[in-house]
Amino acid sequence: MTEQLRLMAVHAHPDDESSKGAATMAKYVSEGVDVLVATCTGGERGSILNPKLQGDPYIEENIHEVRKKEMDEAREILGVKQEWLGFVDSGLPEGDPLPALPDGCFALQSVETAAEPLVRLIRTFKPHVITTYDENGGYPHPDHIMTHKITMVAFEAAGDPERYPDAGEPWQPQKLYYNQGFNKPRTIALHEALLARGMDSPYGEWLERWKQFERRERTLTTYVPCDEFFEIRDKALIAHATQIDPDGGWFRVPMDLQREVWPTEEYELAKSLVDTSLPEDDLFAGIRNN
């Protein structure tokens, strides 16, 4: 196709775009693809996970503005565009029984109502491909699950002139993917490679926790080669300073080992309106030549 390709990545909070599919986005930006991140919430209820910044009164009192500035920096590093959908972070409920979600938060919105700003954004940006989370949210944060729900509705509704008639001219995206970068085969491969080198692995606890949850293995359909952009991915992630400890487990795996053992980011093709053969190595497979 002769027009510019467009990719939209729908995420729950600022920082999710840098931990899920960031190298893929940077790769496509380098190829001239127009990439837009849609961020559902402002991350207002996110905990300060970087121990170096915990207890900072300014950050605690201005977390929304701090996370917005972090997102601005990460966006510049990745070379993507970014839009806020304007919902309020639901927080991650903890305890037994779990507490009720806070009034007005994203996860308590009606799915049909909450999908409207995403439909509007799809019709404005006109993406050929959309990425989001699977029905489990990647992990069961209520905002991640809600992000999945509104993206599924918006993918179907954006091309239907009878739905959301006041949200712009219809546009039908051609493919929808679930991010599956935190998959078991990748984790095992990196874990075993670290141990074979006589190094400590940050993945041992992950693999133990995996045994505790009976979750079906996802079908990985698409492996995007993007190891040239792993440094950009990490730089964007570190820009979310309240969320990421630069000395933490994220960054303990040597870059040369990552590139040698697992040089791709993975996706699960959830919907496609074009013919494609699996496995793929390109989110735009079946679209580029149409």
Side-chain angles (χ1 to χ4, degrees), residues 204-260:
E205 291 182 12
W206 290 25
L207 293 170
E208 284 302 314
R209 284 201 300 269
W210 238 306
K211 295 176 184 176
Q212 299 171 20
F213 299 102
E214 290 190 12
R215 288 180 55 188
R216 72 177 179 89
E217 289 298 313
R218 307 301 306 196
T219 302
L220 304 179
T221 62
T222 310
Y223 298 75
V224 178
C226 53
D227 55 301
E228 291 178 37
F229 301 91
F230 284 177
E231 281 104 340
I232 292 176
R233 171 203 66 193
D234 288 359
K235 189 176 178 185
L237 196 53
I238 290 170
H240 292 283
T242 59
Q243 304 301 298
I244 298 295
D245 180 357
D247 300 318
W250 278 101
F251 309 106
R252 287 184 199 152
V253 184
M255 192 61 68
D256 67 311
L257 184 147
Q258 293 184 50
R259 289 188 166 128
E260 176 189 337

Short mmCIF file of all heavy atoms in Angstrom, two decimals, residues 204-260:
data_model
loop_
_atom_site.label_atom_id
_atom_site.label_comp_id
_atom_site.label_asym_id
_atom_site.label_seq_id
_atom_site.Cartn_x
_atom_site.Cartn_y
_atom_site.Cartn_z
N GLY A 204 13.53 -16.71 38.39
CA GLY A 204 13.20 -17.90 39.17
C GLY A 204 11.88 -17.76 39.90
O GLY A 204 11.03 -18.66 39.86
N GLU A 205 11.69 -16.61 40.57
CA GLU A 205 10.45 -16.39 41.31
C GLU A 205 9.25 -16.32 40.36
O GLU A 205 8.16 -16.79 40.69
CB GLU A 205 10.54 -15.10 42.13
CG GLU A 205 11.52 -15.19 43.29
CD GLU A 205 11.54 -13.91 44.10
OE1 GLU A 205 10.64 -13.05 43.89
OE2 GLU A 205 12.46 -13.74 44.93
N TRP A 206 9.45 -15.69 39.19
CA TRP A 206 8.37 -15.64 38.21
C TRP A 206 7.90 -17.04 37.86
O TRP A 206 6.70 -17.32 37.83
CB TRP A 206 8.85 -14.97 36.92
CG TRP A 206 9.12 -13.51 36.98
CD1 TRP A 206 9.45 -12.75 38.07
CD2 TRP A 206 9.09 -12.60 35.88
NE1 TRP A 206 9.65 -11.45 37.72
CE2 TRP A 206 9.43 -11.32 36.39
CE3 TRP A 206 8.81 -12.74 34.53
CZ2 TRP A 206 9.49 -10.19 35.57
CZ3 TRP A 206 8.88 -11.62 33.71
CH2 TRP A 206 9.21 -10.37 34.23
N LEU A 207 8.86 -17.91 37.56
CA LEU A 207 8.51 -19.26 37.14
C LEU A 207 7.84 -20.04 38.26
O LEU A 207 6.94 -20.85 38.00
CB LEU A 207 9.76 -19.98 36.63
CG LEU A 207 10.34 -19.39 35.34
CD1 LEU A 207 11.70 -19.99 35.03
CD2 LEU A 207 9.39 -19.60 34.16
N GLU A 208 8.24 -19.79 39.50
CA GLU A 208 7.57 -20.44 40.63
C GLU A 208 6.12 -19.95 40.75
O GLU A 208 5.21 -20.74 41.00
CB GLU A 208 8.34 -20.17 41.93
CG GLU A 208 9.60 -21.00 42.08
CD GLU A 208 9.34 -22.49 42.01
OE1 GLU A 208 8.38 -22.96 42.68
OE2 GLU A 208 10.07 -23.20 41.29
N ARG A 209 5.95 -18.64 40.58
CA ARG A 209 4.57 -18.10 40.66
C ARG A 209 3.70 -18.63 39.54
O ARG A 209 2.51 -18.83 39.72
CB ARG A 209 4.61 -16.56 40.62
CG ARG A 209 5.06 -15.93 41.92
CD ARG A 209 4.62 -14.48 42.01
NE ARG A 209 5.16 -13.66 40.94
CZ ARG A 209 6.32 -12.99 41.02
NH1 ARG A 209 7.05 -13.08 42.12
NH2 ARG A 209 6.72 -12.26 40.02
N TRP A 210 4.31 -18.85 38.37
CA TRP A 210 3.55 -19.39 37.24
C TRP A 210 2.91 -20.73 37.61
O TRP A 210 1.81 -21.04 37.18
CB TRP A 210 4.47 -19.58 36.03
CG TRP A 210 4.03 -18.82 34.81
CD1 TRP A 210 2.81 -18.86 34.21
CD2 TRP A 210 4.81 -17.90 34.04
NE1 TRP A 210 2.77 -18.03 33.11
CE2 TRP A 210 4.00 -17.43 32.98
CE3 TRP A 210 6.12 -17.45 34.12
CZ2 TRP A 210 4.45 -16.54 32.03
CZ3 TRP A 210 6.57 -16.55 33.17
CH2 TRP A 210 5.74 -16.09 32.14
N LYS A 211 3.62 -21.51 38.40
CA LYS A 211 3.11 -22.83 38.78
C LYS A 211 1.86 -22.72 39.66
O LYS A 211 1.04 -23.64 39.72
CB LYS A 211 4.19 -23.62 39.53
CG LYS A 211 5.41 -23.97 38.70
CD LYS A 211 6.47 -24.65 39.57
CE LYS A 211 7.74 -24.92 38.79
NZ LYS A 211 8.81 -25.49 39.65
N GLN A 212 1.73 -21.58 40.35
CA GLN A 212 0.61 -21.42 41.28
C GLN A 212 -0.69 -21.03 40.59
O GLN A 212 -1.76 -21.15 41.17
CB GLN A 212 0.97 -20.36 42.33
CG GLN A 212 2.18 -20.70 43.18
CD GLN A 212 2.60 -19.52 44.04
OE1 GLN A 212 1.82 -18.60 44.28
NE2 GLN A 212 3.85 -19.53 44.49
N PHE A 213 -0.57 -20.55 39.37
CA PHE A 213 -1.77 -20.08 38.67
C PHE A 213 -2.07 -20.99 37.49
O PHE A 213 -1.19 -21.27 36.67
CB PHE A 213 -1.56 -18.64 38.17
CG PHE A 213 -1.32 -17.66 39.27
CD1 PHE A 213 -0.03 -17.21 39.54
CD2 PHE A 213 -2.35 -17.19 40.05
CE1 PHE A 213 0.22 -16.31 40.56
CE2 PHE A 213 -2.12 -16.30 41.08
CZ PHE A 213 -0.84 -15.85 41.33
N GLU A 214 -3.29 -21.43 37.44
CA GLU A 214 -3.70 -22.29 36.32
C GLU A 214 -4.21 -21.40 35.20
O GLU A 214 -5.40 -21.16 35.08
CB GLU A 214 -4.78 -23.28 36.77
CG GLU A 214 -4.25 -24.34 37.72
CD GLU A 214 -5.28 -25.44 37.95
OE1 GLU A 214 -6.27 -25.48 37.21
OE2 GLU A 214 -5.07 -26.23 38.87
N ARG A 215 -3.28 -20.89 34.42
CA ARG A 215 -3.64 -20.06 33.27
C ARG A 215 -3.25 -20.80 32.01
O ARG A 215 -2.17 -21.37 31.92
CB ARG A 215 -2.91 -18.72 33.31
CG ARG A 215 -3.42 -17.78 34.37
CD ARG A 215 -2.66 -16.47 34.34
NE ARG A 215 -2.68 -15.87 33.03
CZ ARG A 215 -1.97 -14.79 32.70
NH1 ARG A 215 -1.19 -14.23 33.57
NH2 ARG A 215 -2.04 -14.29 31.49
N ARG A 216 -4.15 -20.77 31.05
CA ARG A 216 -3.84 -21.46 29.80
C ARG A 216 -2.67 -20.77 29.09
O ARG A 216 -2.51 -19.54 29.20
CB ARG A 216 -5.06 -21.51 28.89
CG ARG A 216 -5.45 -20.18 28.24
CD ARG A 216 -6.62 -20.37 27.31
NE ARG A 216 -7.04 -19.13 26.68
CZ ARG A 216 -6.55 -18.66 25.53
NH1 ARG A 216 -5.59 -19.32 24.91
NH2 ARG A 216 -7.00 -17.53 25.00
N GLU A 217 -1.86 -21.55 28.43
CA GLU A 217 -0.77 -20.97 27.66
C GLU A 217 -1.33 -20.21 26.47
O GLU A 217 -2.22 -20.71 25.77
CB GLU A 217 0.18 -22.08 27.18
CG GLU A 217 1.01 -22.71 28.28
CD GLU A 217 1.93 -21.70 28.96
OE1 GLU A 217 2.60 -20.94 28.26
OE2 GLU A 217 1.95 -21.67 30.20
N ARG A 218 -0.84 -19.02 26.26
CA ARG A 218 -1.33 -18.21 25.14
C ARG A 218 -0.71 -18.71 23.84
O ARG A 218 0.36 -19.31 23.83
CB ARG A 218 -0.96 -16.74 25.36
CG ARG A 218 -1.36 -16.15 26.67
CD ARG A 218 -2.84 -16.18 26.95
NE ARG A 218 -3.66 -15.58 25.92
CZ ARG A 218 -4.94 -15.22 26.09
NH1 ARG A 218 -5.53 -15.42 27.26
NH2 ARG A 218 -5.64 -14.70 25.10
N THR A 219 -1.41 -18.44 22.76
CA THR A 219 -0.90 -18.79 21.43
C THR A 219 -0.09 -17.62 20.89
O THR A 219 -0.65 -16.55 20.60
CB THR A 219 -2.07 -19.11 20.47
OG1 THR A 219 -2.84 -20.17 21.02
CG2 THR A 219 -1.54 -19.51 19.10
N LEU A 220 1.20 -17.79 20.78
CA LEU A 220 2.06 -16.74 20.23
C LEU A 220 2.05 -16.89 18.71
O LEU A 220 2.49 -17.89 18.17
CB LEU A 220 3.48 -16.87 20.77
CG LEU A 220 3.61 -16.85 22.30
CD1 LEU A 220 5.07 -17.01 22.70
CD2 LEU A 220 3.01 -15.59 22.89
N THR A 221 1.52 -15.89 18.03
CA THR A 221 1.38 -15.97 16.57
C THR A 221 2.40 -15.11 15.84
O THR A 221 2.69 -15.36 14.66
CB THR A 221 -0.01 -15.49 16.13
OG1 THR A 221 -0.17 -14.10 16.51
CG2 THR A 221 -1.11 -16.31 16.78
N THR A 222 2.96 -14.11 16.54
CA THR A 222 3.71 -13.08 15.83
C THR A 222 4.95 -12.71 16.64
O THR A 222 4.83 -12.33 17.80
CB THR A 222 2.82 -11.85 15.60
OG1 THR A 222 1.57 -12.28 15.03
CG2 THR A 222 3.48 -10.85 14.68
N TYR A 223 6.10 -12.85 16.00
CA TYR A 223 7.39 -12.59 16.64
C TYR A 223 8.06 -11.46 15.87
O TYR A 223 8.54 -11.67 14.76
CB TYR A 223 8.26 -13.84 16.60
CG TYR A 223 7.71 -15.04 17.34
CD1 TYR A 223 6.65 -15.79 16.83
CD2 TYR A 223 8.25 -15.43 18.57
CE1 TYR A 223 6.14 -16.89 17.50
CE2 TYR A 223 7.75 -16.53 19.25
CZ TYR A 223 6.69 -17.26 18.72
OH TYR A 223 6.19 -18.34 19.39
N VAL A 224 8.09 -10.27 16.45
CA VAL A 224 8.63 -9.10 15.74
C VAL A 224 10.10 -8.93 16.11
O VAL A 224 10.43 -8.67 17.27
CB VAL A 224 7.85 -7.83 16.11
CG1 VAL A 224 8.45 -6.61 15.42
CG2 VAL A 224 6.38 -7.98 15.76
N PRO A 225 11.03 -9.07 15.16
CA PRO A 225 12.45 -8.88 15.46
C PRO A 225 12.71 -7.39 15.77
O PRO A 225 12.44 -6.53 14.93
CB PRO A 225 13.16 -9.30 14.17
CG PRO A 225 12.13 -10.02 13.35
CD PRO A 225 10.81 -9.46 13.75
N CYS A 226 13.21 -7.11 16.96
CA CYS A 226 13.36 -5.71 17.35
C CYS A 226 14.50 -5.51 18.33
O CYS A 226 14.53 -4.53 19.09
CB CYS A 226 12.05 -5.17 17.93
SG CYS A 226 11.38 -6.18 19.27
N ASP A 227 15.48 -6.44 18.33
CA ASP A 227 16.54 -6.37 19.32
C ASP A 227 17.42 -5.13 19.18
O ASP A 227 18.05 -4.70 20.14
CB ASP A 227 17.40 -7.64 19.29
CG ASP A 227 17.97 -7.92 17.92
OD1 ASP A 227 17.19 -8.08 16.97
OD2 ASP A 227 19.22 -7.98 17.78
N GLU A 228 17.45 -4.54 17.98
CA GLU A 228 18.22 -3.30 17.80
C GLU A 228 17.66 -2.16 18.66
O GLU A 228 18.33 -1.15 18.87
CB GLU A 228 18.18 -2.86 16.33
CG GLU A 228 18.95 -3.75 15.38
CD GLU A 228 18.82 -3.25 13.95
OE1 GLU A 228 18.81 -2.02 13.75
OE2 GLU A 228 18.70 -4.10 13.04
N PHE A 229 16.43 -2.34 19.13
CA PHE A 229 15.74 -1.25 19.83
C PHE A 229 15.53 -1.56 21.31
O PHE A 229 14.81 -0.85 21.99
CB PHE A 229 14.40 -0.97 19.13
CG PHE A 229 14.58 -0.60 17.69
CD1 PHE A 229 14.56 -1.56 16.70
CD2 PHE A 229 14.83 0.71 17.33
CE1 PHE A 229 14.78 -1.22 15.37
CE2 PHE A 229 15.04 1.07 16.00
CZ PHE A 229 15.02 0.09 15.01
N PHE A 230 16.23 -2.60 21.82
CA PHE A 230 16.08 -2.93 23.23
C PHE A 230 16.62 -1.82 24.14
O PHE A 230 16.08 -1.56 25.20
CB PHE A 230 16.81 -4.25 23.55
CG PHE A 230 16.08 -5.49 23.10
CD1 PHE A 230 16.65 -6.75 23.26
CD2 PHE A 230 14.81 -5.43 22.50
CE1 PHE A 230 15.99 -7.90 22.86
CE2 PHE A 230 14.14 -6.57 22.09
CZ PHE A 230 14.74 -7.82 22.28
N GLU A 231 17.70 -1.15 23.70
CA GLU A 231 18.23 -0.05 24.53
C GLU A 231 17.23 1.10 24.61
O GLU A 231 17.06 1.71 25.67
CB GLU A 231 19.56 0.48 23.97
CG GLU A 231 20.74 -0.39 24.34
CD GLU A 231 21.20 -1.23 23.17
OE1 GLU A 231 20.39 -1.40 22.23
OE2 GLU A 231 22.33 -1.72 23.22
N ILE A 232 16.57 1.40 23.49
CA ILE A 232 15.56 2.46 23.49
C ILE A 232 14.41 2.07 24.41
O ILE A 232 13.90 2.88 25.19
CB ILE A 232 15.07 2.73 22.05
CG1 ILE A 232 16.20 3.35 21.23
CG2 ILE A 232 13.84 3.62 22.05
CD1 ILE A 232 15.85 3.57 19.77
N ARG A 233 14.00 0.81 24.34
CA ARG A 233 12.95 0.30 25.23
C ARG A 233 13.33 0.55 26.69
O ARG A 233 12.53 1.08 27.48
CB ARG A 233 12.77 -1.20 24.99
CG ARG A 233 11.89 -1.94 25.98
CD ARG A 233 12.21 -3.43 26.00
NE ARG A 233 13.55 -3.69 26.51
CZ ARG A 233 14.17 -4.86 26.40
NH1 ARG A 233 13.58 -5.87 25.78
NH2 ARG A 233 15.39 -5.02 26.90
N ASP A 234 14.55 0.18 27.06
CA ASP A 234 14.98 0.32 28.45
C ASP A 234 15.08 1.79 28.86
O ASP A 234 14.72 2.15 29.99
CB ASP A 234 16.33 -0.37 28.66
CG ASP A 234 16.22 -1.89 28.63
OD1 ASP A 234 15.09 -2.41 28.48
OD2 ASP A 234 17.26 -2.56 28.77
N LYS A 235 15.56 2.62 27.95
CA LYS A 235 15.66 4.05 28.26
C LYS A 235 14.27 4.65 28.50
O LYS A 235 14.08 5.46 29.42
CB LYS A 235 16.37 4.78 27.10
CG LYS A 235 16.73 6.22 27.40
CD LYS A 235 17.50 6.84 26.24
CE LYS A 235 17.82 8.30 26.53
NZ LYS A 235 18.46 8.96 25.36
N ALA A 236 13.30 4.24 27.68
CA ALA A 236 11.93 4.73 27.86
C ALA A 236 11.35 4.25 29.18
O ALA A 236 10.65 4.99 29.89
CB ALA A 236 11.05 4.28 26.69
N LEU A 237 11.65 3.02 29.53
CA LEU A 237 11.14 2.47 30.79
C LEU A 237 11.74 3.21 31.98
O LEU A 237 11.02 3.56 32.94
CB LEU A 237 11.48 0.98 30.86
CG LEU A 237 10.74 0.13 31.89
CD1 LEU A 237 9.23 0.29 31.79
CD2 LEU A 237 11.13 -1.32 31.74
N ILE A 238 13.03 3.49 31.93
CA ILE A 238 13.69 4.20 33.03
C ILE A 238 13.16 5.63 33.16
O ILE A 238 13.18 6.21 34.25
CB ILE A 238 15.22 4.17 32.82
CG1 ILE A 238 15.74 2.75 33.06
CG2 ILE A 238 15.94 5.15 33.74
CD1 ILE A 238 17.18 2.53 32.65
N ALA A 239 12.62 6.19 32.06
CA ALA A 239 12.03 7.53 32.14
C ALA A 239 10.85 7.56 33.10
O ALA A 239 10.54 8.61 33.67
CB ALA A 239 11.59 7.98 30.74
N HIS A 240 10.20 6.43 33.30
CA HIS A 240 9.10 6.35 34.28
C HIS A 240 9.71 6.10 35.66
O HIS A 240 9.57 5.03 36.25
CB HIS A 240 8.13 5.24 33.89
CG HIS A 240 7.37 5.53 32.63
ND1 HIS A 240 6.30 6.41 32.60
CD2 HIS A 240 7.53 5.08 31.36
CE1 HIS A 240 5.82 6.47 31.36
NE2 HIS A 240 6.55 5.68 30.59
N ALA A 241 10.39 7.12 36.16
CA ALA A 241 11.26 6.95 37.33
C ALA A 241 10.50 6.54 38.59
O ALA A 241 11.06 5.84 39.44
CB ALA A 241 12.03 8.25 37.58
N THR A 242 9.25 6.96 38.73
CA THR A 242 8.51 6.58 39.94
C THR A 242 8.16 5.10 39.93
O THR A 242 7.92 4.50 40.98
CB THR A 242 7.21 7.38 40.09
OG1 THR A 242 6.38 7.17 38.93
CG2 THR A 242 7.50 8.87 40.26
N GLN A 243 8.13 4.50 38.75
CA GLN A 243 7.66 3.13 38.61
C GLN A 243 8.79 2.11 38.48
O GLN A 243 8.57 0.92 38.68
CB GLN A 243 6.76 3.01 37.37
CG GLN A 243 5.58 3.95 37.38
CD GLN A 243 4.69 3.73 38.59
OE1 GLN A 243 4.12 2.66 38.75
NE2 GLN A 243 4.57 4.72 39.45
N ILE A 244 9.97 2.55 38.10
CA ILE A 244 11.04 1.63 37.73
C ILE A 244 12.32 1.95 38.48
O ILE A 244 12.81 3.08 38.43
CB ILE A 244 11.31 1.71 36.20
CG1 ILE A 244 10.06 1.31 35.41
CG2 ILE A 244 12.49 0.85 35.81
CD1 ILE A 244 9.63 -0.13 35.58
N ASP A 245 12.86 0.95 39.15
CA ASP A 245 14.17 1.08 39.78
C ASP A 245 15.23 0.70 38.75
O ASP A 245 15.27 -0.44 38.28
CB ASP A 245 14.25 0.13 40.98
CG ASP A 245 15.59 0.20 41.70
OD1 ASP A 245 16.47 0.94 41.25
OD2 ASP A 245 15.74 -0.51 42.72
N PRO A 246 16.08 1.66 38.33
CA PRO A 246 17.08 1.34 37.31
C PRO A 246 18.07 0.27 37.74
O PRO A 246 18.77 -0.31 36.90
CB PRO A 246 17.78 2.68 37.06
CG PRO A 246 17.49 3.51 38.27
CD PRO A 246 16.16 3.06 38.79
N ASP A 247 18.12 -0.03 39.04
CA ASP A 247 19.00 -1.10 39.53
C ASP A 247 18.22 -2.39 39.79
O ASP A 247 18.76 -3.34 40.37
CB ASP A 247 19.69 -0.66 40.83
CG ASP A 247 20.54 0.58 40.62
OD1 ASP A 247 21.23 0.65 39.59
OD2 ASP A 247 20.49 1.49 41.48
N GLY A 248 16.96 -2.42 39.36
CA GLY A 248 16.11 -3.57 39.65
C GLY A 248 16.25 -4.70 38.65
O GLY A 248 17.05 -4.67 37.72
N GLY A 249 15.40 -5.72 38.85
CA GLY A 249 15.48 -6.95 38.05
C GLY A 249 15.25 -6.77 36.57
O GLY A 249 15.72 -7.59 35.77
N TRP A 250 14.52 -5.72 36.19
CA TRP A 250 14.28 -5.47 34.77
C TRP A 250 15.59 -5.43 33.97
O TRP A 250 15.62 -5.78 32.80
CB TRP A 250 13.59 -4.11 34.59
CG TRP A 250 12.11 -4.10 34.81
CD1 TRP A 250 11.45 -3.68 35.92
CD2 TRP A 250 11.10 -4.50 33.89
NE1 TRP A 250 10.10 -3.82 35.74
CE2 TRP A 250 9.86 -4.30 34.51
CE3 TRP A 250 11.13 -5.01 32.59
CZ2 TRP A 250 8.64 -4.59 33.88
CZ3 TRP A 250 9.92 -5.30 31.97
CH2 TRP A 250 8.69 -5.09 32.61
N PHE A 251 16.64 -4.94 34.61
CA PHE A 251 17.86 -4.61 33.87
C PHE A 251 19.04 -5.50 34.23
O PHE A 251 20.18 -5.14 33.99
CB PHE A 251 18.19 -3.13 34.12
CG PHE A 251 17.01 -2.22 33.88
CD1 PHE A 251 16.33 -1.65 34.94
CD2 PHE A 251 16.55 -1.98 32.58
CE1 PHE A 251 15.22 -0.84 34.72
CE2 PHE A 251 15.45 -1.18 32.36
CZ PHE A 251 14.77 -0.61 33.43
N ARG A 252 18.78 -6.67 34.81
CA ARG A 252 19.86 -7.55 35.23
C ARG A 252 20.31 -8.51 34.13
O ARG A 252 21.32 -9.19 34.30
CB ARG A 252 19.42 -8.38 36.44
CG ARG A 252 19.34 -7.58 37.73
CD ARG A 252 19.00 -8.47 38.90
NE ARG A 252 18.49 -7.68 40.02
CZ ARG A 252 17.66 -8.15 40.93
NH1 ARG A 252 17.22 -9.39 40.84
NH2 ARG A 252 17.25 -7.38 41.91
N VAL A 253 19.57 -8.59 33.06
CA VAL A 253 19.92 -9.53 32.00
C VAL A 253 20.79 -8.81 30.97
O VAL A 253 20.35 -7.83 30.37
CB VAL A 253 18.66 -10.10 31.31
CG1 VAL A 253 19.04 -11.16 30.28
CG2 VAL A 253 17.71 -10.68 32.36
N PRO A 254 22.03 -9.26 30.76
CA PRO A 254 22.92 -8.55 29.82
C PRO A 254 22.29 -8.43 28.43
O PRO A 254 21.63 -9.36 27.95
CB PRO A 254 24.17 -9.45 29.78
CG PRO A 254 24.14 -10.21 31.07
CD PRO A 254 22.69 -10.41 31.39
N MET A 255 22.52 -7.27 27.82
CA MET A 255 21.90 -7.01 26.52
C MET A 255 22.34 -8.01 25.45
O MET A 255 21.53 -8.44 24.63
CB MET A 255 22.24 -5.58 26.09
CG MET A 255 21.43 -5.08 24.92
SD MET A 255 19.65 -5.03 25.22
CE MET A 255 19.53 -3.71 26.44
N ASP A 256 23.61 -8.42 25.47
CA ASP A 256 24.06 -9.36 24.46
C ASP A 256 23.36 -10.71 24.61
O ASP A 256 23.05 -11.37 23.63
CB ASP A 256 25.59 -9.54 24.52
CG ASP A 256 26.05 -10.22 25.80
OD1 ASP A 256 25.61 -9.79 26.89
OD2 ASP A 256 26.84 -11.17 25.73
N LEU A 257 23.07 -11.10 25.84
CA LEU A 257 22.35 -12.35 26.07
C LEU A 257 20.91 -12.23 25.57
O LEU A 257 20.39 -13.15 24.94
CB LEU A 257 22.40 -12.72 27.55
CG LEU A 257 21.77 -14.07 27.95
CD1 LEU A 257 22.52 -14.68 29.12
CD2 LEU A 257 20.29 -13.90 28.33
N GLN A 258 20.26 -11.12 25.87
CA GLN A 258 18.90 -10.92 25.39
C GLN A 258 18.83 -11.03 23.87
O GLN A 258 17.95 -11.69 23.32
CB GLN A 258 18.37 -9.55 25.82
CG GLN A 258 18.17 -9.38 27.30
CD GLN A 258 17.57 -8.03 27.62
OE1 GLN A 258 16.57 -7.61 27.03
NE2 GLN A 258 18.19 -7.30 28.55
N ARG A 259 19.78 -10.37 23.21
CA ARG A 259 19.76 -10.37 21.75
C ARG A 259 20.02 -11.76 21.17
O ARG A 259 19.44 -12.14 20.16
CB ARG A 259 20.80 -9.39 21.22
CG ARG A 259 20.41 -7.94 21.45
CD ARG A 259 21.39 -7.01 20.75
NE ARG A 259 20.83 -5.68 20.69
CZ ARG A 259 21.46 -4.58 21.10
NH1 ARG A 259 22.68 -4.69 21.62
NH2 ARG A 259 20.89 -3.41 21.01
N GLU A 260 20.90 -12.49 21.82
CA GLU A 260 21.24 -13.83 21.33
C GLU A 260 20.11 -14.83 21.58
O GLU A 260 19.77 -15.62 20.70
CB GLU A 260 22.52 -14.31 22.04
CG GLU A 260 22.92 -15.74 21.69
CD GLU A 260 24.05 -16.24 22.57
OE1 GLU A 260 24.80 -15.40 23.14
OE2 GLU A 260 24.19 -17.47 22.72
#
